[in-house]
Amino acid sequence: MRPPIEILLSEEMIRARIAQLAEEIAPRLREDVLLVTLMNGAFVFGADLTRALARLGKSLTLDFMVLSSYGSGTVTSGRITTRMDLSIDPTGRQVLLVDDILDSGNTLLMASNHLRDKGAAEVLTCVLLDKPARRRVPMQADFIGFEIPNLFVVGFGIDYDQMFRELPFVGHLRAS
Ligand code: IMP
Ligand code: MG
């Protein structure tokens, strides 16, 4: 049985915030920016942010990385592996790294170090959601959609055991 979901961020709130985020980010972008979306959780956010930036006239090169930090369930393992690496060489380029949630910070820290190790000239980071109360390593995102409390959230690409990615809003699992 799928647990009940309570809406935390509506479709309209997310749409409006992504348009604003693009306005914040656009002036910081160079001509040849490489936008890297972390899969799978950020695929919806990455797609919307990409098009919001394009509406502002930005041209982007797109790439994707698949990392895994969570097994199943709601507790982080702390161990992160690269399951699919970039297919475009980031050497000398400005990278905009996009993820769904900044939680302990391990994933974004590891991914940005990885991009720098591969030669990226600059790594800007953008997350849809930030849970500052959960931070375990010193990592901040350059651009944040929404700061949220310490709740386990799903929807807008984000899953609980592969469920709920398809929801068009962000909700949280209600204790039932
Ligand atoms: P971190 O490495 O602990 O910062 O975790 C970041 C990753 O954990 C995110 O990219 C998400 O995929 C996942 N994650 C963190 N919090 C949640 C949540 O509330 N729901 C679902 N996935 C989460
Ligand atoms: Mg993720």
Side-chain angles (χ1 to χ4, degrees), residues 103-138:
D103 190 45
S104 72
N106 284 315
T107 305
L108 205 61
L109 184 64
M110 186 254 177
S112 42
N113 286 339
H114 180 72
L115 289 162
R116 282 191 201 94
D117 288 348
K118 292 197 116 192
E122 184 188 8
V123 181
L124 294 173
T125 53
C126 178
V127 295
L128 177 64
L129 307 175
D130 184 12
K131 295 189 209 172
R134 298 257 307 164
R135 205 74 85 252
R136 286 206 249 124
V137 294

Side-chain angles (χ1 to χ4, degrees), residues 66-83:
V66 182
L67 303 179
S68 62
S69 61
Y70 276 32
S72 58
T74 60
V75 182
T76 184
S77 69
R79 275 176 299 116
I80 292 155
T81 52
T82 308
R83 280 205 249 153

